[in-house]
Structures are given as structure tokens and as C-alpha cells.
Amino acid sequence: MERRFTQEASAGIIAAMAILKIARMGMPVLAGIARPVEDPTDPKIHRLVADMIETLADLGGVGLAAPQVHVPLRVMIFHVPANRSTEAEGAVPLTVLINPQLTPLGEEMVEDWEGCLSLPGLTGLVPRYRSLRYRGVDLDGREVEREARDFHARVVQHEYDHLDGVLYPRRLRDPSQFGFVEEIRKALAANREQP
Ligand code: NI
């Protein structure tokens, strides 16, 4: 674990922020059902989320679920950068979602390539609901409720799956559409060159 220390001026103490170690596919913590959070305002939960935010920023990902940092609790964070969002929806700021619930809106499924920090270097073509509603609470225990579509909906479904011990390879419609990012990119580029 890498640790960085920052001065917390108001409290006059040294607060440690941590970049957490990511669990990789095969570790049991990624395969179990995570437990609901009893008190989202618990300082331990705030500390966990602060560390998850720092870890996600360090790795440059769009989402992270607590089981990926070895904590089997129903906590996830995500954001949608402007370049990945649809025009109508816009960027989604960093969102903390505790004890989430998802409700698909309609039956429409869309496939796209996904990656995961727990499967570094790999990618797969995963079907997801195109749009959904999600609910949960934030760090103050306030209710969060939003509708999401396209990439936003995909990220939420991917992170939610982590809370139920599901990694994206289990969602593949075609197991051959899975492999190393480098190789898949080459294969896709080669396909495009064909008449
Ligand atoms: Ni993931």
C-alpha cells in the first residue's frame, strides 16, 4: 500500500490518505456478495470512500467498487467524463453510491467493450441495459436517485455487479469477444481494413 501524507490545517493533524491495493480476478473478495452499509455517516465509511476516490484518480478509471479494494461492503464510486457521455446527458460528476438499487428502464440491451481495474490489460464485449434508474444514499445518508443511459448506465451496471460478486467476463454473450486490449485493438483495426 502506498501512502501519502497531507496536512489537514483545520484540525492541525496529519491525515493519511491511501492509495489502496486493487484485488484482481481470482481473489475471493471479488466473488462474494457484499454487505449493506449500516451507517453511511460512519467516519470509517468516509475514510474508505476518500481512499477509493484517491485510488480511482491515481489509476485513471471511471468507477470503483469497495470489494475491489478488499472491503466487502455495498459502496461504489464512479464518474462519467464529458468525452464518454451522450450529448443529452452531459458529464456526470464523481458520485458516491451506497446500498444501491438498479431498475432497468425497458428491455433494450447494447453491447460495448468494457475493461476493469481487477482484470488489467483485458477487455470484453458486454451487453448491458441501455437505460436504468438507480437509487442509493450518499455519505450524508441522503437519498440519491437518477436515471442513466448509455455509458453512464453501463458504468453503474458494471460497478453494481461487483457488489454481487460478478465480473464482466461472466456477462459476455460471445466468449470469443474477450482478450488483451492490445490484441483486440489490432484485430478490430484489421477487420476495418477488410473490404
Ligand atoms: Ni470493474
Side-chain angles (χ1 to χ4, degrees), residues 63-65 68 114-119 158-159 162 166-168:
L64 188 64
Q68 291 184 277
E114 280 185 23
C116 179
L117 296 170
S118 295
L119 291 80
H158 177 112
E159 299 312 328
H162 279 297
V166 175
L167 298 177
Y168 76 79

Side-chain angles (χ1 to χ4, degrees), residues 61 129 145:
Y129 287 105
E145 181 177 347

Side-chain angles (χ1 to χ4, degrees), residues 86-152:
T86 54
E87 213 173 302
E89 204 168 53
V92 179
L94 187 87
T95 299
V96 178
L97 204 57
I98 297 170
N99 301 338
Q101 288 178 291
L102 308 190
T103 312
L105 298 173
E107 297 291 306
E108 191 187 350
M109 308 287 284
V110 278
E111 286 193 318
D112 205 351
W113 294 93
E114 280 185 23
C116 179
L117 296 170
S118 295
L119 291 80
L122 293 164
T123 187
L125 192 61
V126 183
R128 299 284 186 188
Y129 287 105
R130 175 141 201 223
S131 60
L132 54 83
R133 176 180 297 118
Y134 60 88
R135 285 197 178 92
V137 292
D138 67 12
L139 286 169
D140 298 318
R142 281 188 302 240
E143 193 163 325
V144 177
E145 181 177 347
R146 284 190 197 143
E147 287 186 12
R149 44 192 289 127
D150 301 319
F151 187 71
H152 181 191

Side-chain angles (χ1 to χ4, degrees), residues 5-179:
F5 295 89
T6 53
Q7 188 83 41
E8 212 157 81
S10 58
I13 54 156
I14 305 287
M17 303 248 287
I19 291 174
L20 306 170
K21 200 164 160 51
I22 300 287
R24 293 197 300 176
M25 188 168 75
M27 300 188 81
V29 69
L30 292 174
I33 307 282
R35 291 191 311 274
V37 172
E38 282 175 23
D39 178 8
T41 66
D42 185 334
K44 284 195 205 103
I45 299 298
H46 284 225
R47 170 60 189 270
L48 165 68
V49 168
D51 289 346
M52 285 172 66
I53 291 170
E54 201 188 8
T55 303
L56 184 64
D58 181 64
L59 295 169
V62 291
L64 188 64
Q68 291 184 277
V69 294
H70 305 264
V71 178
L73 288 174
R74 302 187 82 79
V75 176
M76 57 195 245
I77 64 170
F78 57 89
H79 67 108
V80 179
N83 65 343
R84 298 303 306 266
S85 71
T86 54
E87 213 173 302
E89 204 168 53
V92 179
L94 187 87
T95 299
V96 178
L97 204 57
I98 297 170
N99 301 338
Q101 288 178 291
L102 308 190
T103 312
L105 298 173
E107 297 291 306
E108 191 187 350
M109 308 287 284
V110 278
E111 286 193 318
D112 205 351
W113 294 93
E114 280 185 23
C116 179
L117 296 170
S118 295
L119 291 80
L122 293 164
T123 187
L125 192 61
V126 183
R128 299 284 186 188
Y129 287 105
R130 175 141 201 223
S131 60
L132 54 83
R133 176 180 297 118
Y134 60 88
R135 285 197 178 92
V137 292
D138 67 12
L139 286 169
D140 298 318
R142 281 188 302 240
E143 193 163 325
V144 177
E145 181 177 347
R146 284 190 197 143
E147 287 186 12
R149 44 192 289 127
D150 301 319
F151 187 71
H152 181 191
R154 175 171 298 277
V155 172
V156 170
Q157 288 168 89
H158 177 112
E159 299 312 328
Y160 182 88
D161 266 355
H162 279 297
L163 308 182
D164 285 342
V166 175
L167 298 177
Y168 76 79
R170 227 207 272 177
R171 299 278 187 203
L172 299 172
R173 195 170 272 157
D174 175 355
S176 73
Q177 300 296 295
F178 176 62

